[in-house]
Amino acid sequence: QQQQQQQQFPNMHQSNANNVNHLNSTLSKPKIKPPPYNPDAFEPVFGPITVTDPILVQSPGVFSGPPHWIYNVVVRDLKKIDGQDQFSAVVSNVRRRFRHFVALEDRLRADCLGAILPPRPDKHPTRAIDEASTRQSTQFALQRAKELETYLNALRLHPLAGKAQNLQLFLTLPDHIGAAWPEVSSSIFTRLTEVGTSTAVKISEGTTAVMSELNNESQIMAGEDNSELLALASAEGLRIGSVLQGVPKIEGAVAIMGELGERMSVVGLEVQKLVNNLMSHERDFATPFEILSSGLLKSGRRTSRLAIELGAATQVFTLQYKLCRYERLAFADRRSALVRRRDARLAADKKAQKLVVHQHSMQSMGHHGYAGATERDAVMSDEVAVDTFNEAEKIGQILQCEVGRISDMRKKDWSMSLKVIAANMKEAHAERTAIWESCRDTFLAENNSPDNGHFHPEYPVENINEVADSSSEIMN
């Protein structure tokens, strides 16, 4: 029967075969390119943001929970007021709590796939203890307000997050943000419902992707076919590993420097107590210990100041350390997009094969040129595949630009920070050397004076100077 139908309708069978081939070629590869991502062309939407005036409040209701701090977020305009170059008009003034900042980050992560967002301040380690107490630290709230201010200003200057709708809603909505975001609603039942629906997605797409190691194998397993992104993932994986190992050592060295200054000051105070005891009984023996106490106190204060200066200069290293997690999340977005692209492509291929089989069966029954719902399913599956392909390409392009942006920022900040660290250490060690040289000169002047009853000519000054010089070199 098929041979007879083909003999009777040769042109129709040929046209149907051409339609199937055309459909398969159309479903094979999408040709739509994502729009280019240009961070240099970004202009901030909002002006400087300040976070001030923390207030400790207790929410009403039985399930309100412990007291919490709310912060006043003031957003200013980019344009300055006429005649006042240092001030600009206030655009909005809203109240937010720390939970709202956490929700903001989650929503920006979903809006800006592939972007490396600024690190959000972590929850304070002693927060649970503070919440359990009736009196909470105001100093903690002021420090947290400063951290949140830095975070919001970094978001408004970010090329993608700075123009996100969720950030604009967060900064301008005068009402409680829970009215728009159910996960931070004032109603505990609304929050529980929202958390229950989103927990599974966060666990499957977020935690697993972050825990996976960033290298070529993980990207290839996800279906990565871009050689530039594969090389970038390999290089960034090695760099992130080095940063995660090196930055804690730098922070530990700064902490040890501060501890050294504190211990020198404590020892100096203890020696001063000894001097006070000797002054009442053995005044002649008190002078050397008084000189030592003075040197320890001065050197301890200078060492503590050096630790503070080094801590400020190493903030850029800590920032890069925190950005490693967000860069891994950006690569995880790319892997998730590749998985969605692969699944959509497989589904579209199955629909296309099903359409071909259906057309052949319809032709065998004499219903030529009729596909119906099968053809519509194939076209819709192909559109989904095209969208996932464009999404994966856009995320890959954003990821490359973001890594380049972070790299440029790192080169500039690290170079400047290293210069500041070298200058501070050079100045501090010069001052510490001068302190101990002054103590040595004072000790020699007191110990070798003929008016002093403890004059020892058998110990020439030259030998003592040689010992002091060698000790100074060892200290440097």
Side-chain angles (χ1 to χ4, degrees):
Q1 292 178 356
Q2 293 179 0
Q3 291 179 357
Q4 293 177 359
Q5 291 176 358
Q6 291 178 0
Q7 291 176 0
Q8 295 176 0
F9 306 99
N11 295 329
M12 183 176 296
H13 281 279
Q14 185 66 27
S15 62
N16 290 333
N18 294 333
N19 292 334
V20 171
N21 294 331
H22 176 70
L23 180 62
N24 290 334
S25 62
T26 304
L27 298 177
S28 59
K29 289 184 179 180
K31 299 180 180 180
I32 302 177
K33 294 183 179 180
Y37 168 63
N38 186 14
D40 298 332
F42 168 74
E43 295 182 0
V45 180
F46 299 100
I49 302 174
T50 56
V51 180
T52 57
D53 192 18
I55 300 177
L56 185 63
V57 298
Q58 174 67 60
S59 300
V62 180
F63 304 101
S64 59
H68 58 272
W69 293 96
I70 59 173
Y71 305 91
N72 186 32
V73 181
V74 180
V75 183
R76 296 187 175 274
D77 194 3
L78 289 171
K79 297 180 180 180
K80 302 295 182 181
I81 299 178
D82 295 338
Q84 297 181 0
D85 297 335
Q86 298 180 356
F87 299 97
S88 55
V90 175
V91 177
S92 66
N93 192 340
V94 296
R95 284 278 178 180
R96 298 289 182 259
R97 60 179 296 186
F98 187 76
R99 179 187 296 171
H100 302 158
F101 289 87
V102 177
L104 172 64
E105 183 192 41
D106 294 338
R107 286 181 171 266
L108 290 179
R109 285 281 312 126
D111 293 343
C112 308
L113 296 176
I116 304 176
L117 298 178
R120 174 182 55 82
D122 297 328
K123 195 172 182 64
H124 200 272
T126 61
R127 180 60 174 166
I129 301 176
D130 291 340
E131 288 178 349
S133 62
T134 56
R135 296 180 61 187
Q136 300 190 24
S137 173
T138 306
Q139 184 179 3
F140 158 75
L142 293 174
Q143 181 182 0
R144 174 53 57 84
K146 189 66 176 178
E147 294 173 354
L148 294 175
E149 179 180 325
T150 303
Y151 174 62
L152 288 180
N153 281 286
L155 285 178
R156 75 175 182 87
L157 296 176
H158 191 276
L160 290 177
K163 55 185 178 182
Q165 293 294 329
N166 281 313
L167 179 62
Q168 298 182 17
L169 182 66
F170 179 87
L171 296 175
T172 57
L173 183 65
D175 300 331
H176 193 280
I177 195 66
W181 298 349
E183 66 270 20
V184 292
S185 173
S186 57
S187 173
I188 186 173
F189 301 104
T190 306
R191 293 201 306 269
L192 290 176
T193 304
E194 178 65 21
V195 169
T197 56
S198 61
T199 299
V201 177
K202 288 183 179 179
I203 293 176
S204 60
E205 295 186 358
T207 307
T208 305
V210 174
M211 294 301 293
S212 61
E213 185 179 0
L214 179 59
N215 52 24
N216 281 339
E217 295 180 359
S218 59
Q219 296 295 119
I220 293 175
M221 290 178 62
E224 183 62 76
D225 53 359
N226 191 326
S227 59
E228 295 182 358
L229 286 175
L230 285 174
L232 185 63
S234 178
E236 288 299 304
L238 295 175
R239 187 193 64 81
I240 288 175
S242 301
V243 171
L244 295 179
Q245 292 179 2
V247 172
K249 296 179 181 179
I250 297 175
E251 294 177 345
V254 175
I256 291 174
M257 185 70 68
E259 186 178 355
L260 174 62
E262 293 178 0
R263 294 197 175 188
M264 292 178 69
S265 299
V266 170
V267 173
L269 292 175
E270 293 297 326
V271 174
Q272 186 62 39
K273 293 179 181 179
L274 177 61
V275 171
N276 295 334
N277 293 331
L278 290 175
M279 290 293 289
S280 59
H281 301 287
E282 299 290 342
R283 183 179 296 271
D284 295 337
F285 291 99
T287 302
F289 292 102
E290 187 175 4
I291 297 172
L292 178 61
S293 174
S294 176
L296 287 172
L297 291 174
K298 292 179 180 178
S299 182
R301 288 194 296 267
R302 188 60 186 91
T303 304
S304 299
R305 185 157 64 92
L306 174 62
I308 296 175
E309 294 171 351
L310 293 180
T314 56
Q315 288 298 318
V316 293
F317 298 100
T318 305
L319 175 62
Q320 289 294 327
Y321 179 85
K322 294 180 179 179
L323 281 176
C324 290
R325 172 179 176 270
Y326 293 86
E327 186 170 351
R328 285 182 170 182
L329 287 172
F331 276 96
D333 293 339
R334 170 66 177 178
R335 289 196 295 271
S336 300
L338 291 174
V339 171
R340 291 193 297 269
R341 184 187 71 176
R342 180 185 60 193
D343 295 341
R345 186 72 269 163
L346 291 175
D349 291 341
K350 290 181 181 180
K351 294 291 184 180
Q353 293 176 2
K354 183 178 179 181
L355 175 61
V356 172
V357 173
H358 180 73
Q359 285 186 343
H360 280 294
S361 63
M362 295 298 294
Q363 291 174 3
S364 64
M365 291 184 296
H367 301 284
H368 304 288
Y370 177 77
T374 307
E375 184 176 0
R376 290 195 298 270
D377 292 342
V379 173
M380 292 177 61
S381 299
D382 181 68
E383 292 178 355
V384 172
V386 171
D387 293 338
T388 55
F389 175 84
N390 293 331
E391 181 188 18
E393 291 298 314
K394 181 179 179 180
I395 292 176
Q397 185 184 28
I398 292 175
L399 180 58
Q400 286 180 305
C401 294
E402 285 289 280
V403 172
R405 182 180 64 85
I406 295 299
S407 177
D408 295 338
M409 182 177 66
R410 181 175 62 251
K411 292 177 182 178
K412 178 182 178 181
D413 294 343
W414 282 20
S415 177
M416 185 180 300
S417 178
L418 288 174
K419 293 178 181 179
V420 173
I421 290 174
N424 289 333
M425 294 188 69
K426 182 178 180 181
E427 179 183 358
H429 286 299
E431 293 183 8
R432 290 170 59 185
T433 303
I435 290 172
W436 289 111
E437 286 180 351
S438 176
C439 293
R440 179 197 62 186
D441 297 338
T442 305
F443 177 79
L444 293 177
E446 291 289 338
N447 195 43
N448 294 281
S449 176
D451 298 334
N452 195 328
H454 300 280
F455 176 66
H456 300 284
E458 63 271 15
Y459 299 111
V461 177
E462 290 79 3
N463 295 337
I464 298 178
N465 288 336
E466 292 177 0
V467 176
D469 293 338
S470 62
S471 301
S472 179
E473 293 177 359
I474 294 174
M475 183 185 66
N476 291 332

